[in-house]
Amino acid sequence: MGNNAKTTQFLKECMADALINLMSRKSVSDITIDEIAVSAGVHRSTWFRNFTSKSEAITFKLTTLWFKWADKHDIKIQNRYDISNARDFFLFNYEMREIIVIIYNAKMQSAIFDAFYTVMTPQYGANAEECYGARFYSYGLFGLLDEWVRRGFCETHEEMVEIFHKMMGK
């Protein structure tokens, strides 16, 4: 395969998918890079060319899933989580709950937060208020998602939007 952007993206997704698949069956600490590479059908050097850690691969996968999901659902503003798109945030995470539970079971929640933060990074500018706002929503939404996951997604995504709006005073 060539070394173009689409090929790189495809290989990175294959490796992240392989990691998630392996995480569903065994402890993340017991998963070797060789296992991931074999499962993804790549050489181990491909892993090291693209990722520095398993967490980075998970963050990449979640970010990629968000942008694909947002495109599919015709989401106009994809690089922000706030009151205006809380429904999209909770619906996306609800639809990805199987993957999120695997990540939680592996104790890799920080990769989920890193994905949120990666999604929100493009809106950063020189304006301090934008920077603080992005952090505020990243941590706040992660906190809500964290509790939602720990409670077994017992509320619907609509109920989570209502909870979020109440907390935000809307």
Side-chain angles (χ1 to χ4, degrees), residues 44-140:
R44 71 188 314 265
S45 64
T46 304
W47 171 270
F48 291 109
R49 266 196 313 275
N50 290 285
F51 299 118
T52 59
S53 68
K54 295 170 188 170
S55 182
E56 184 181 352
I58 299 301
T59 297
F60 167 80
K61 182 60 180 181
L62 290 172
T63 303
T64 299
L65 285 170
W66 164 253
F67 287 115
K68 285 181 178 182
W69 187 90
D71 283 343
K72 180 181 173 186
H73 290 84
D74 200 30
I75 307 297
K76 301 294 183 228
I77 299 174
Q78 299 180 1
N79 64 338
R80 180 182 70 219
Y81 297 129
D82 61 22
I83 288 176
S84 68
N85 68 350
R87 181 191 171 281
D88 300 326
F89 170 83
F90 288 110
L91 181 57
F92 167 75
N93 284 290
Y94 185 76
E95 289 182 9
M96 300 301 146
R97 67 189 177 276
E98 288 179 29
I99 292 171
I100 289 172
V101 167
I102 290 169
I103 294 167
Y104 261 73
N105 288 340
K107 308 280 188 257
M108 294 185 71
Q109 295 90 323
S110 63
I112 297 171
F113 175 78
D114 290 344
F116 294 169
Y117 190 67
T118 299
V119 167
M120 296 186 70
T121 300
Q123 78 181 35
Y124 275 97
N127 182 329
E129 189 174 327
E130 290 176 356
C131 295
Y132 289 118
R135 284 287 185 167
F136 176 79
Y137 282 107
S138 294
Y139 282 106

